[in-house]
Amino acid sequence: GEPFPEPNLDHNDPKSALFYLKRGLQWMEELGIQAILDLHTGPGSQNGYDNSGRRWPTIDDAEWIDDNYPVNVHNIVRTLRILEKYAGYIRNWVDTGVIRMSTIYGIGVLNEPHICASWNFDGEKWPICRDDFYPKAVDTIRTFFSASETRVIVDVAGRAYKEFQGIFQDPSGVEIDAHNYQCFGPYWNEVAMSNIGWGIHLEGSCLIKNDLQTSPLPVWAGEFSLAVSECQQYLSNGYQIVYVPPDNDPSVCEYYNSDFSSYHEDYKQFLKNFFLAQIDSFEQAAGWIFWTAKTEDHCAPEWDYLFLLEHDIVPKDICNRDHFC
């Protein structure tokens, strides 16, 4: 959260975050893995979530943009300056041989700016992202990297894909990161309570591809999981001493209890099918990234790819697998 300390910009200093970013990129290069660099926090918070650097009680309190726009664009300008600074560092590392250009798949301009989403402020702030921040952010990255060198990635921001038509003067190399979860909010709580809930998830997952194919830009699922509820401790609203899922009935959380040893075989089979159904759709577009690779002490099985891999929920060989859809 803010106020942020003055950043340590010495990438050779183990006390600097840049030291670990550089080392991580070098490790990825050694393993032949490409990196997506994503700015996760916007000054003042772009969504009110704890993962934006500042958690607010409601979206009304988020300060990345406010009701004084366009008079007050301070935090948008700050965000663009941050993008300029970190893109410049990556450019320098490429030019000086610290990493190869091929290691960088793309640069994301801002994670989940849901202040612009259709469900917040009656959607009225979307033009600020669409017409102001996104075009300027893409132009900022393009001053360091051409479209042939790396992609610039914009978050879907809770909007319909068709709303990205014509935003960018030159959309070459611009892609959409669309996070796709089936666990947050009262609707999915109702589904979790239903006797046919798993079927709804599987059928809906197979239909995702139809929506993805309406996008005017390449789109991929930058986050998804196998969770069907908010029961996982601290999942919604961040750390709390006593975690109370905001939308889930207590009886739901007795079943979805994050204790893999208690999972019924039919639920494990559902998880296998749920994974396959989702990636079957995502691969009809530009692909997917599971969130996340590993959880602390494997505390959240539905969010833990390595745990799911070790327990045969996800296929050992993704490229040669069964399909659900």
Side-chain angles (χ1 to χ4, degrees):
E2 296 190 67
F4 296 112
E6 189 68 24
N8 180 344
L9 300 180
D10 181 358
H11 62 92
N12 294 312
D13 183 355
K15 295 181 180 179
S16 168
L18 289 172
F19 174 88
Y20 296 97
L21 176 61
K22 180 179 70 173
R23 186 166 73 174
L25 290 172
Q26 290 172 325
W27 285 347
M28 294 179 75
E29 183 168 297
E30 291 174 8
L31 295 170
I33 300 173
Q34 289 186 297
I36 297 168
L37 300 168
D38 187 38
L39 182 62
H40 220 78
T41 64
S45 174
Q46 73 276 19
N47 53 35
Y49 310 151
D50 58 343
N51 59 31
S52 72
R54 172 179 283 183
R55 186 177 72 196
W56 291 103
T58 70
I59 189 66
D60 295 333
D61 300 305
E63 296 177 340
W64 184 64
I65 51 180
D66 61 25
D67 291 338
N68 291 320
Y69 177 91
V71 174
N72 179 15
V73 294
H74 177 67
N75 282 333
I76 290 179
V77 171
R78 286 180 65 195
T79 306
L80 294 170
R81 287 174 56 205
I82 292 166
L83 288 173
E84 181 179 31
K85 188 172 289 290
Y86 96 80
Y89 267 94
I90 302 304
R91 180 78 259 178
N92 177 260
W93 288 345
V94 170
D95 291 346
T96 57
V98 173
I99 56 172
R100 291 193 293 267
M101 188 70 254
S102 58
T103 301
I104 307 300
Y105 177 89
I107 296 178
V109 300
L110 188 62
N111 176 70
E112 295 183 344
H114 286 169
I115 202 167
C116 293
S118 58
W119 60 81
N120 287 321
F121 306 105
D122 296 323
E124 67 180 26
K125 296 191 185 298
W126 169 234
I128 302 174
C129 284
R130 180 192 65 202
D131 303 331
D132 190 356
F133 175 68
Y134 275 168
K136 289 177 180 176
V138 169
D139 288 346
T140 296
I141 303 302
R142 284 286 171 252
T143 61
F144 296 93
F145 299 99
S146 68
S148 64
E149 288 181 308
T150 198
R151 300 154 187 85
V152 182
I153 299 157
V154 296
D155 193 283
V156 73
R159 311 300 306 194
Y161 298 117
K162 64 182 180 182
E163 295 182 81
F164 285 79
Q165 184 69 49
I167 291 180
F168 306 106
Q169 187 173 6
D170 181 3
S172 303
V174 180
E175 297 185 355
I176 297 174
D177 173 6
H179 300 174
N180 200 299
Y181 290 117
Q182 299 182 35
C183 58
F184 294 109
Y187 170 75
W188 291 116
N189 178 53
E190 292 179 11
V191 172
M193 294 284 289
S194 170
N195 292 331
I196 60 170
W198 293 350
I200 292 172
H201 284 286
L202 296 174
E203 180 180 5
S205 295
C206 289
L207 293 175
I208 290 171
K209 65 179 181 295
N210 298 332
D211 195 25
L212 295 173
Q213 290 168 355
T214 66
S215 177
L217 299 172
V219 57
W220 37 269
E223 293 184 20
F224 78 103
S225 77
L226 301 190
V228 297
S229 76
E230 294 174 272
C231 295
Q232 177 58 49
Q233 191 173 33
Y234 309 137
L235 177 59
S236 295
N237 301 326
Y239 174 76
Q240 302 170 48
I241 294 175
V242 178
Y243 177 65
V244 180
D247 295 299
N248 286 119
D249 187 281
S251 64
V252 170
C253 295
E254 290 175 8
Y255 188 87
Y256 300 111
N257 59 17
S258 301
D259 178 5
F260 192 79
S261 66
S262 73
Y263 288 5
H264 298 166
E265 288 304 314
D266 59 345
Y267 179 48
K268 292 180 183 179
Q269 185 59 50
F270 162 71
L271 292 175
K272 293 179 182 181
N273 292 338
F274 191 27
F275 178 79
L276 293 175
Q278 290 186 84
I279 67 172
D280 281 350
S281 270
F282 300 150
E283 291 180 4
Q284 295 299 306
W288 52 271
I289 299 171
F290 188 89
W291 189 265
T292 186
K294 181 181 179 181
T295 60
E296 186 175 3
D297 298 323
H298 300 303
C299 64
E302 290 86 352
W303 299 83
D304 190 323
Y305 191 88
L306 292 178
F307 183 89
L308 294 167
L309 183 65
E310 292 166 3
H311 290 81
D312 296 319
I313 299 298
V314 302
K316 292 289 193 292
D317 185 348
I318 287 292
C319 296
N320 297 284
R321 67 174 194 270
D322 293 331
H323 293 269
F324 183 84
C325 301

